[in-house]
Amino acid sequence: MGGSGGVRGAKARRVLGFYRVHFGVSVPFNVLCDGTLIHFALKHKLFLKEALPGLFGRQVAAHVVVSSCVVSELRSLGEEFSAASLMASRARRVDCPHASKRVPASECILELFKEEQHGMLLGTVDKELISAVRAIGGVPIVTISSGSLILETPSTQSRSLALEIERNKRKRSSLPPPKPAAEDSLTPRFRRRKARGPNPLSVKKKKTTESTVTKKKKKKKNKSQTSENTEAKLAQVLEVEASRANKSNEGADEGQPEGTIEKAGVRKRGKRKRKRGSELESSSKEPEALPEPEQPSMKRHRRKRRSAKSVTHE
């Protein structure tokens, strides 16, 4: 019947998820507190309005709820519990069936949870009350441990109740029953990441066989076309040459017989060779000598001598 240790943070949110699925505990969370929890929270300087959202998550709304029996019990305990009674009187109230005659707070809380009002959480430090609520099952319990709030894990009774609820749902939907949940079902399990393949965007696409076959066919077609084109061109050239040869033969055959045509061709070749030989000989001849300059005549020379002699005699 006993439950395991308390949890905080992400584990506490998982436990609340279990109660939310099977027992209808939903946001905002209403925590039904007794006098012991309020008194111990003030002793450890815990403000429940701030501590409860920190336990369930910062964005989760949580409210402190009390019954009229809890407030009357705190007021009857004297000055030591005056601060706790003042805090309880300011908290939200739950409809209590003991308006005419007050009962102890633990009895009042047990009756409220036995009536299947499972939408609330229990906040207490009383061990007897905790064991009694565990036996009922389906109630999340908030306590104080080492100066901080904790949430207890589900008890065996609450787990068995959850299995029964699931079986009833399966019967209605004609599905096979689920496997019994182990005690370690709420513990976190680290999953190993599977090895993934490479990024398809960074990998080149494989060339298919069809594309290669089509490329080979295209190459063969191109080669055959080029060979056909070259053959056609050669045929055209041969035809042109043959037509030219026929024309030249026809022109030569009109005025001369066959023997004279060959002799005329030989004569022409001889004339060409002679012309070339004369050109080569003219180029190989030595250049003609330039005419020598004319020497001055002897008469002029004599006149110059006579003029020079006459000048000396004078």
Side-chain angles (χ1 to χ4, degrees):
M1 303 289 276
S4 60
V7 291
R8 302 185 187 94
K11 293 180 181 179
R13 287 193 286 276
R14 286 187 197 133
V15 172
L16 285 173
F18 170 79
Y19 285 110
R20 185 178 65 253
V21 171
H22 298 292
F23 302 105
V25 178
S26 60
V27 179
F29 298 118
N30 293 319
V31 183
L32 180 58
C33 300
D34 65 347
T36 57
L37 184 77
I38 295 168
H39 181 66
F40 270 88
L42 290 171
K43 260 191 173 182
H44 292 285
K45 296 180 181 180
L46 287 172
F47 299 98
L48 293 174
K49 289 183 180 180
E50 297 176 359
L52 287 171
L55 176 63
F56 304 139
R58 292 181 181 179
Q59 297 179 354
V60 177
H63 305 294
V64 178
V65 179
V66 295
S67 64
S68 54
C69 294
V70 173
V71 177
S72 62
E73 187 181 28
L74 286 170
R75 285 175 182 172
S76 64
L77 290 172
E79 291 183 358
E80 188 178 353
F81 294 87
S82 60
S85 64
L86 181 64
M87 187 176 176
S89 62
R90 291 177 181 176
R92 295 186 181 187
R93 296 290 181 94
V94 180
D95 294 333
C96 181
H98 312 107
S100 59
K101 187 180 179 180
R102 301 297 179 193
V103 295
S106 58
E107 292 180 9
C108 178
I109 289 166
L110 284 171
E111 284 184 13
L112 289 172
F113 283 116
K114 281 177 183 178
E115 289 176 0
E116 296 184 358
Q117 295 180 1
H118 288 299
M120 295 185 295
L121 290 79
L122 173 65
T124 183
V125 187
D126 189 359
K127 292 181 180 179
E128 293 178 0
L129 182 59
I130 288 168
S131 60
V133 172
R134 282 176 186 165
I136 295 168
V139 181
I141 300 168
V142 178
T143 59
I144 294 173
S145 176
S146 64
S148 61
L149 290 174
I150 58 170
L151 181 68
E152 287 195 353
T153 54
S155 62
T156 53
Q157 183 65 22
S158 60
R159 285 176 182 170
S160 62
L161 285 172
L163 279 173
E164 286 180 5
I165 292 164
E166 285 291 326
R167 282 170 188 166
N168 293 328
K169 288 180 181 177
R170 299 279 181 180
K171 284 178 183 178
R172 290 173 187 173
S173 60
S174 68
L175 292 171
K179 293 180 181 179
E183 292 185 358
D184 298 333
S185 61
L186 296 170
T187 56
R189 293 179 182 178
F190 299 99
R191 295 181 182 177
R192 291 183 180 179
R193 293 183 178 178
K194 294 180 180 180
R196 296 179 181 177
N199 188 359
L201 299 174
S202 63
V203 178
K204 290 184 177 179
K205 293 182 180 179
K206 292 182 179 179
K207 294 181 179 178
T208 58
T209 55
E210 294 179 359
S211 63
T212 54
V213 170
T214 53
K215 284 182 179 179
K216 287 180 180 178
K217 287 181 179 179
K218 286 180 180 178
K219 285 181 180 179
K220 287 180 180 178
K221 286 181 181 178
N222 292 329
K223 285 181 181 178
S224 62
Q225 288 176 359
T226 52
S227 62
E228 289 175 359
N229 293 329
T230 52
E231 289 175 358
K233 287 179 181 179
L234 288 170
Q236 288 177 1
V237 171
L238 292 170
E239 287 177 0
V240 171
E241 289 179 355
S243 63
R244 286 178 181 174
N246 291 328
K247 286 179 182 179
S248 62
N249 291 329
E250 287 175 359
D253 292 337
E254 286 178 356
Q256 295 178 358
E258 293 180 357
T260 56
I261 291 165
E262 290 179 357
K263 288 179 181 179
V266 172
R267 289 172 186 173
K268 287 179 181 179
R269 287 175 189 170
K271 287 180 180 180
R272 289 175 187 171
K273 286 181 180 179
R274 288 169 190 170
K275 284 182 181 180
R276 287 179 186 173
S278 62
E279 288 176 358
L280 290 169
E281 286 176 359
S282 63
S283 62
S284 62
K285 284 180 181 181
E286 292 182 359
E288 294 179 357
L290 295 172
E292 293 181 359
E294 293 181 357
Q295 293 182 358
S297 60
M298 293 299 290
K299 290 180 179 181
R300 289 179 183 177
H301 189 63
R302 288 173 182 173
R303 285 175 186 174
K304 284 180 182 180
R305 281 184 180 179
R306 285 175 185 176
S307 61
K309 284 179 180 181
S310 64
V311 169
T312 54
H313 287 296
E314 286 176 0

